[in-house]
């Protein structure tokens, strides 16, 4: 199970991308929108509450929609972001002499393109904060706010050649029902209902820029957003530390007491910290099982019985029951609806 902790095994809820799809749909004809969903193996009924979306599906939709709509931010902002804008952004930040100056270049670039927000960079002796300041009364676009902050984090992590720690991430919109999905995106606990959407770094965490070549830039663009949309840190919340522990441990040996020992805390302390993260040991274990199962079902290479064994179920019947509880569908039905298009 050692690869299970990889971001490839994370999923997010359908609700997490619903704002994105809502912004994208007006840019397309009905047939074009349906075609995008089909080519990304996203079901037409993409608003199903228990449905899950994988990294592969997000990457595929991003890469198709950004090109085919002629808007590299796919309707998320009031003004279209024309093709090659992100390439120019990368060219600019690649020439920065520090991560702080890269964030400054990032903010000035977007301030030339965005009408609905201004990006401010607020510096103190201890922190550096990238903040979105609204220029009108339009309500925050949740996916758009997430994406622009994550792009900033992804770019400076690319320049640093490691995932730069984040002190805080805050959003101006209210806590959504899918708040746990943000732990997959940012290496910090997300806050909601704050005065402004912002990304906060400790100054001491902003190390030097490592030179990136033109070839590196091309690879980053070609892979976008695969290399930066999901966090690769397993350390920023207690729940992800437990998930990483489960990824290293066979299901038969995975236990709350074992996780507590691995994290050098008592079981009671671990329970309390997980509760503070809004979760539990069993919920984390089930989420990892669910995400591994979904990955296997979408690749279509293993039988349901084999997948049940892979995720620690002694019988296919028990796995069927659990999977239906997680997603609202049986494994076979999920494979038919969400698996690879023939």
């Amino acid at each position: 199970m050692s690869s299970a902790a990889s971001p490839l095994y994370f999923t997010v809820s359908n609700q997490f991308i619903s704002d994105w799809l809502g912004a994208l749909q007006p840019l397309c004809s009905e047939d074009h929108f349906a075609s995008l969903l089909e080519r990304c193996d996203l079901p037409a009924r993409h608003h199903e509450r228990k449905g899950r979306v994988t990294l592969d599906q997000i990457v595929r939709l991003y890469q198709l929609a950004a090109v085919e709509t002629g808007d590299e931010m796919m309707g998320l902002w009031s003004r279209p972001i024309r093709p090659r804008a992100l390439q120019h952004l990368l060219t600019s930040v690649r020439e920065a002499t520090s991560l702080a100056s890269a964030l400054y270049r990032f903010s000035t670039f977007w301030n030339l393109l965005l009408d609905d927000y201004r990006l401010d960079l607020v510096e103190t002796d201890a922190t550096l904060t990238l903040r979105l300041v609204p220029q009108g009364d339009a309500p925050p676009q949740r996916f758009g706010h997430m994406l622009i902050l994550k792009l900033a984090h992804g770019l400076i992590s690319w320049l640093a050649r490691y995932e730069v720690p984040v002190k805080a991430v805050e959003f101006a919109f209210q806590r959504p029902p899918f708040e746990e999905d943000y732990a997959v995106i940012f290496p910090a606990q997300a806050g909601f209902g704050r005065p402004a959407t912002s990304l906060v770094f400790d100054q001491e965490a902003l190390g030097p820029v490592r030179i990136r070549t033109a070839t590196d830039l091309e690879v980053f663009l070609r892979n976008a957003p695969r290399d930066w949309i999901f966090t690769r840190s397993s350390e920023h919340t207690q729940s992800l530390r437990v998930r990483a522990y489960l990824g290293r441990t066979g299901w038969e040996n995975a236990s709350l007491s074992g996780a507590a020992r691995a994290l050098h805390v008592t079981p009671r302390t671990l329970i309390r910290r997980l509760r503070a993260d809004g979760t539990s040991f069993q919920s984390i274990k089930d989420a990892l099982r669910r995400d591994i199962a979904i990955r296997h079902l979408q690749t279509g290479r293993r039988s349901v019985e084999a997948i049940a064994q892979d995720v620690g179920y002694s019988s296919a019947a028990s796995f069927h029951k659990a999977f239906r509880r997680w997603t609202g569908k049986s494994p076979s039905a999920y494979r038919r609806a969400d698996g690879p298009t023939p």
Side-chain angles (χ1 to χ4, degrees):
M1 235 193 340
S2 59
S3 63
S6 162
L8 291 176
Y9 284 101
F10 281 123
T11 67
V12 293
S13 67
N14 280 356
Q15 294 172 297
F16 184 78
I17 69 165
S18 62
D19 291 351
W20 180 18
L21 295 177
L24 174 60
Q25 192 162 9
L27 303 183
C28 309
S29 67
E30 185 176 340
D31 288 344
H32 184 200
F33 186 69
S35 171
L36 284 171
L37 296 182
E38 181 179 0
R39 283 179 284 160
C40 299
D41 298 322
L42 287 167
R45 295 188 299 165
H46 50 268
H47 296 299
E48 290 180 346
R49 185 174 61 86
K50 288 189 174 182
R52 307 298 300 178
V53 182
T54 66
L55 173 61
D56 287 343
Q57 290 172 306
I58 289 174
V59 169
R60 181 68 172 155
L61 181 60
Y62 180 101
Q63 292 178 345
L64 289 174
V67 172
E68 295 179 13
T69 64
D71 179 355
E72 291 194 337
M73 282 288 169
M74 304 154 291
L76 294 169
W77 307 101
S78 60
R79 181 194 295 190
I81 306 302
R82 298 302 182 192
R84 300 178 71 84
L86 295 184
Q87 180 177 346
H88 286 291
L89 171 60
L90 259 71
T91 300
S92 174
V93 300
R94 187 167 66 93
E95 296 172 354
T97 56
S98 69
L99 296 184
S101 66
L103 284 170
Y104 176 77
R105 287 170 180 255
F106 182 92
S107 63
T108 55
F109 177 88
W110 284 110
N111 286 339
L112 292 173
L113 298 183
L114 297 182
D115 293 331
D116 19 12
Y117 285 88
R118 184 182 76 249
L119 272 71
D120 284 351
L121 204 58
V122 182
E123 187 170 8
T124 70
D125 289 341
T127 63
L128 188 64
T129 301
L130 183 69
R131 181 177 298 154
L132 273 71
V133 179
Q135 302 300 288
D137 298 327
Q141 215 286 0
R142 294 179 298 190
F143 196 89
H145 280 216
M146 178 281 299
L147 190 63
I148 200 163
L149 291 191
K150 189 58 194 181
L151 178 59
H153 181 233
L155 281 178
I156 66 168
S157 296
W158 177 69
L159 288 172
R161 296 181 185 262
Y162 62 87
E163 186 172 55
V164 175
V166 172
K167 180 178 178 63
V169 57
E170 300 179 340
F171 293 101
F173 50 84
Q174 295 303 309
R175 187 179 306 275
F178 47 87
E179 64 171 302
E180 67 277 4
D181 291 332
Y182 289 86
V184 176
I185 305 298
F186 292 100
Q189 196 77 22
F192 301 95
R194 303 301 167 84
T197 290
S198 58
L199 194 60
V200 185
F201 301 94
D202 278 323
Q203 289 277 16
E204 62 184 21
L206 296 175
V209 167
R210 304 280 297 277
I211 294 174
R212 286 291 192 174
T213 66
T215 300
D216 292 335
L217 185 151
E218 291 171 4
V219 171
F220 186 93
L221 287 171
R222 185 168 62 248
N223 291 343
R226 179 176 299 280
D227 294 340
W228 51 267
I229 190 67
F230 283 9
T231 180
R232 294 189 178 271
S233 171
S234 63
E235 298 301 316
H236 63 274
T237 66
Q238 200 74 28
S239 58
L240 286 190
R241 292 187 185 105
V242 170
R243 185 168 170 130
Y245 156 79
L246 290 170
R248 300 188 299 266
T249 307
W251 295 115
E252 66 280 2
N253 298 318
S255 65
L256 175 67
S257 59
R261 284 194 302 274
L263 301 180
H264 308 293
V265 297
T266 65
R268 185 183 296 275
T269 297
L270 180 57
I271 290 170
R272 186 177 67 251
R273 291 180 179 176
L274 291 177
R275 189 179 296 123
D277 273 358
T279 188
S280 67
F281 179 80
Q282 189 61 48
S283 295
I284 297 166
K285 187 175 181 179
D286 285 345
L288 181 57
R289 285 169 152 173
R290 176 201 64 207
D291 292 351
I292 293 173
I294 286 173
R295 177 74 173 174
H296 286 320
L297 288 167
Q298 289 192 333
T299 60
R301 297 181 187 134
R302 299 180 69 80
S303 69
V304 171
E305 290 73 17
I307 294 171
Q309 291 185 347
D310 284 346
V311 296
Y313 282 90
S314 58
S315 73
S318 297
F319 172 61
H320 272 255
K321 183 178 179 180
F323 194 85
R324 187 177 289 278
R325 185 176 71 250
W326 299 331
T327 68
K329 295 179 181 178
S330 70
S332 297
Y334 195 99
R335 171 173 273 163
R336 288 194 299 271
D338 300 280
T341 303

